[in-house]
RNA sequence: UGGCCUAUGGUGUAAUUGGCAACACGUCAGAUUUUGGUUCUGAAAUUCAAGGUUCGAGUCCUUGUAGGCCAACCA
């Protein structure tokens, strides 16, 4: 957690502020989600930045819901956002809502009108938009721009009282219709929305726009550094302008700074597109293990630590970026390697018969649970004459690079004996149905005999057929086939859905796995990390593959 | 045809503010290994371009080039 690391540009800004006399105890941050969707991997970056800063400087971090648009926002999202942040391991100082400040915002708006800095526009939205023109040419002022303070006050109050229809009036800041920054061309501060709000109910029928609500909320909460993504950079002059209207020099002047959002290859984070995946049934829900949502990653088996470390390693800067998903893989493997008990499961079984092992005999062999963690202890695994091994772990003959079972070479069965392939049975199509081998009774793992210490090139995982526990395994792969599925605006991102993003197989597990609870992660030896899915029933355990192990053999093999 | 922002190995980020371009992931090679995992060692690979200032430029200046953002009563 506290590895030596150079400061990112945001930390440089804070250090500079501190060096210039800003009191450290007045540092305060916030994470401001709009409760209109589920949190995803990109939000995790912002969460990590803000809460990470809170931890680093021992400063409070508020969770503030930006709930100024009742048309899109719901309590359900508030709940899931809170759950996800907590799961990631962060604690907010206060749970707050922009809607808490509606009255204060309204009062300030009245002051702006009185100061001649805001006016009610009676024009429809399309006309206002048209009058703003384009960034290349100056806008045109509204005919209502210069009406009297009294009239504005009256109109605004009547807007508030619900006397007008939606869209018929709006309160606008009077700034500069010729600004090259479109945000300054008399932005709308309030619109009429006759919709119930998830917190304020029907108290209000006018709602503040983002720019008006957000910066002033920062000010009310005395947020010292308001960090957001780069697309808000052009809003900063407006943020400052609004702040100027209400600022008291005795207070902290909140500042907005912008960083580049984090993009991860083969993932999308557009709320609209994510919603489409869910609604059209391309995934099973917001928490489908292939989704980039926090709930999806959680169900997939990612740990909070792995996600935090991922963003820690990714860093923060201001340029567009596309992170290699290999970094995410690495982060999750790195953590899971340390904490996951090892078990043996065969995903694609082929029968192996040990011809010189007595029929009916069984042995319970002691095996370590985690070579990375001695405290994890040991368990017993049943061994018998007939086993399943992985189909790809056998070739009738192979070159020197193939370390696995052949008809010529010896391999070790993990935690058991050294065996040697003898012959195979095949079906009419030439597929191997049974492999016969002999074992060396003196080579038992851990027995200390000379035979047991013999070096063999390969070690295979296996499961005793008569003891095997059938389980369902869901093998997940990336959801899309290209790094940026939504980069091309002409193309539908759905065209890039990976048809093989999920494969379901019946696998055979060692019996001890029966006791695994939902959510638990284990390493299937030599295969990857898997966690127990909530769809598991009393009869059938279901595992999600979080990530495979690194597989240098697969790389060599396909390279040939 | 406006304004703003950003350009450093394959990818993501650093560089004590003008002083030997580094860290991580990935890649490749080797060692270790009862997981082709882990761990360890090593290697290849970087300053968008052209000028300029300077003893010295990733950093400063000029001119380009490329990419991104901005024209919701969304956030």
């Amino acid at each position: 957690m506290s590895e030596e690391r150079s400061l990112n540009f945001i930390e440089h800004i804070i250090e500079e502020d501190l060096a210039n006399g800003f009191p450290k105890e007045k540092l305060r941050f916030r994470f401001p989600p709009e409760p209109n969707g589920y949190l995803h991997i990109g939000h995790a970056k912002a969460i990590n930045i803000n809460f990470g800063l809170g931890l680093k400087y021992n400063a409070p971090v508020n969770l503030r819901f930006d709930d100024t648009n009742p048309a899109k926002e719901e309590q359900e999202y508030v709940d899931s956002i809170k759950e996800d942040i907590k799961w990631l391991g962060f604690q907010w100082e206060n749970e707050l809502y922009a809607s808490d400040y509606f009255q204060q915002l309204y009062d300030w708006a009245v002051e702006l009108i009185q100061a001649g800095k805001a006016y009610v526009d009676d024009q429809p939205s399309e006309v206002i938009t048209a009058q703003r023109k384009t960034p290349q040419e100056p806008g045109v002022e509204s005919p209502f721009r210069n009406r009297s303070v009294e009239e504005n006050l009256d109109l605004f109050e009547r807007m508030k009282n619900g006397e007008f229809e939606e869209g018929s009036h709006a309160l606008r800041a009077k700034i500069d219709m010729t600004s090259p920054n479109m945000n300054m061309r008399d932005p709308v501060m309030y619109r009429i929305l006759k919709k119930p709000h998830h917190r304020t109910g029907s108290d209000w029928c006018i709602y503040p726009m983002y720019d008006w609500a957000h910066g002033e909320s920062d000010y009310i909460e005395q947020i010292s550094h308001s960090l957001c993504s780069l697309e808000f950079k052009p809003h900063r002059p407006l943020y400052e302008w609004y702040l100027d209207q209400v600022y008291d020099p005795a207070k902290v002047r909140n500042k907005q700074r912008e960083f580049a959002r984090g993009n991860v290859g083969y993932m999308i984070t557009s709320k609209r597109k994510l919603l489409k995946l869910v609604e059209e049934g391309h995934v099973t829900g917001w928490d489908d293990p292939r989704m980039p949502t926090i709930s999806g990653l959680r169900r997939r088996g990612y740990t909070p630590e792995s996600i935090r470390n991922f963003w820690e390693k990714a860093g923060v800067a201001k340029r567009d970026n596309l992170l290699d998903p290999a970094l995410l893989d690495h982060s999750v493997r790195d953590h899971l390697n340390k904490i996951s008990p090892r078990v043996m499961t065969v995903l694609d079984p082929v029968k192996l018969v040990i011809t010189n092992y007595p029929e009916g005999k069984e042995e319970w062999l002691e095996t370590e649970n985690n070579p990375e963690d001695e405290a994890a202890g040991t368990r017993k695994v049943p061994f018998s004459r007939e086993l399943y091994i992985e189909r790809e772990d056998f070739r009738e003959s192979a070159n020197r690079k193939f370390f696995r079972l052949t008809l010529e070479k010896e391999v070790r069965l993990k935690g058991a004996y050294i065996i040697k392939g003898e012959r195979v049975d095949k079906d009419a199509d030439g597929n191997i149905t049974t492999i016969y081998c002999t074992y060396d009774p003196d080579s038992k793992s851990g027995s200390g005999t000379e035979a047991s210490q013999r070096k063999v090139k390969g070690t295979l995982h296996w499961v005793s057929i008569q003891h095997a526990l059938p389980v369902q395994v869901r093998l997940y792969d990336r959801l899309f086939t290209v790094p940026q599925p939504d980069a091309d605006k002409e193309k539908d991102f759905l065209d890039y859905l990976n048809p093989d993003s999920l494969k379901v197989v019946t696998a055979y597990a060692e019996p001890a796995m029966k006791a695994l609870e939902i959510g638990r992660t284990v390493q299937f030896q030599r295969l990857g990390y898997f966690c127990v899915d909530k769809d598991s029933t009393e009869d059938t355990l279901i595992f999600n593959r979080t990530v495979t192990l690194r597989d240098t053999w697969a790389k060599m093999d396909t390279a040939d």
Side-chain angles (χ1 to χ4, degrees), chain A residues 321-358:
Chain A
N321 59 80
L322 183 64
L323 284 149
D324 189 338
L327 185 62
L328 226 201
D329 290 347
H330 169 264
S331 302
V332 70
R333 285 188 189 115
D334 188 44
H335 188 226
L336 259 18
N337 174 51
K338 291 171 188 139
I339 63 168
S340 306
R342 271 83 233 238
V343 294
M344 291 198 285
T345 304
V346 175
L347 293 183
D348 183 17
V350 63
K351 185 172 174 181
L352 177 77
V353 176
I354 306 168
T355 57
N356 60 337
Y357 194 86

Side-chain angles (χ1 to χ4, degrees), chain A residues 9-77:
Chain A
F9 82 96
I10 294 172
E11 292 163 336
H12 278 301
I13 289 169
I14 294 171
E15 290 296 331
E16 194 181 325
D17 289 340
L18 257 19
N20 289 336
F22 187 87
K24 184 166 179 290
E25 61 276 11
K26 290 198 173 176
L27 249 21
R28 187 179 287 265
F29 308 97
R30 111 263 91 118
F31 175 64
E34 182 189 12
N36 71 341
Y38 287 78
L39 256 26
H40 55 63
I41 185 79
H43 293 112
K45 175 176 182 174
I47 291 170
N48 209 52
I49 289 171
N50 285 296
F51 285 94
L53 252 14
L55 255 20
K56 180 183 171 86
Y57 291 102
N58 192 28
V61 183
N62 288 342
L63 170 60
R64 183 176 70 235
F65 289 96
D66 240 324
D67 56 348
T68 56
N69 187 356
K72 300 202 303 190
E73 294 148 7
E74 293 168 28
Q75 187 61 37
E76 173 198 353
Y77 296 123

